[in-house]
Amino acid sequence: MEPITLTTERLLLRTFTDDDTEEIYRLCQDPEIQRWTTVPSPYERRHATEFTGHTVPEGWRTGTMFTFAVLPRGGGPLMASIAVTLRALSGTWEIGFWTGKEFRGRGIMAEAMGALAHWTFTRLGGTRLEWRAEVGNAASRAVALKAGFTVEGELRAALLNNGTLRDAWVGSLLPSDVNLAGPYPYLPAPAAQD
């Protein structure tokens, strides 16, 4: 698939380019990004170069991972990264993100997640969008909840981060959660009887 651009009221989501490499490198020096996401740690300039030069374009080429740079709609600096990665041929995609330290707490990521979720459901035929974060990453959980995700539970040893398996929270967003029709009917489990 050719890269596309998404917009929201405040944001522009576009593919990363080589011109973003230095800013990615700078933002990913943040210990919180290295601690809570799966970016390499320590994060070296070669990691940013590999990301913009290979990882991002390869994901678009194969249709398995669509990664976007998040910027102010009216122009300005790179603020964040967000991506959806295909997890199951039934239409399950996983969303992942990081936000630069100076841009946190402004609702930027929840807004970007909303735009990307809508695109995933309407253009990619997504049936389920999953969010995962290491147990304890309260900031990521707060963003997911603000974006409308339902936290479903905790998975043991479900997140590989820097060579260590870690427990993860998992949540989901369904097309019906954002007033969209999914490609298949959904039959929820009956409510448990006490």
Side-chain angles (χ1 to χ4, degrees):
M1 177 183 289
E2 287 296 314
I4 56 102
T5 299
L6 302 173
T7 57
T8 70
E9 183 178 326
R10 300 183 299 160
L11 305 175
L12 172 75
L13 282 68
R14 61 149 171 85
T15 193
F16 282 96
T17 69
D18 291 339
D19 292 340
D20 298 311
T21 302
E22 285 304 311
E23 192 60 6
I24 293 166
Y25 171 71
R26 184 187 75 77
L27 291 169
C28 286
Q29 295 311 300
D30 177 7
E32 294 296 306
I33 290 175
Q34 290 186 31
R35 166 62 182 94
W36 293 112
T37 73
T38 57
V39 302
S41 181
Y43 195 84
E44 300 172 3
R45 189 167 271 104
R46 67 182 173 87
H47 296 124
T49 300
E50 174 74 9
F51 181 71
T52 59
H54 177 73
T55 305
V56 171
E58 185 66 10
W60 283 93
R61 187 188 70 73
T62 61
T64 57
M65 182 171 66
F66 302 105
T67 307
F68 294 85
V70 181
L71 303 104
R73 186 170 177 171
L78 173 66
M79 299 184 294
S81 173
I82 189 168
V84 290
T85 304
L86 183 62
R87 292 296 180 219
L89 294 179
S90 63
T92 298
W93 293 80
E94 183 176 337
I95 196 162
F97 56 88
W98 55 256
T99 305
K101 184 178 185 173
E102 60 267 38
F103 304 107
R104 294 179 193 142
R106 301 181 190 177
I108 290 165
M109 190 48 65
E111 187 174 328
M113 287 173 79
L116 191 51
H118 187 272
W119 182 74
T120 300
F121 293 140
T122 59
R123 302 302 295 225
L124 301 179
T127 58
R128 175 181 166 88
L129 188 55
E130 287 188 355
W131 156 87
R132 292 178 186 220
E134 184 179 334
V135 171
N137 189 346
S140 182
R141 184 179 176 124
V143 170
L145 290 169
K146 185 173 183 179
F149 281 72
T150 298
V151 176
E152 297 173 327
E154 199 171 296
L155 302 173
R156 296 183 315 141
L159 183 68
L160 181 62
N161 189 352
N162 292 312
T164 302
L165 286 171
R166 301 165 192 259
D167 293 344
W169 286 321
V170 64
S172 69
L173 189 70
L174 304 178
S176 58
D177 296 335
V178 290
N179 298 317
L180 292 171
Y184 305 105
Y186 167 50
L187 180 62
Q193 300 291 324
D194 288 332

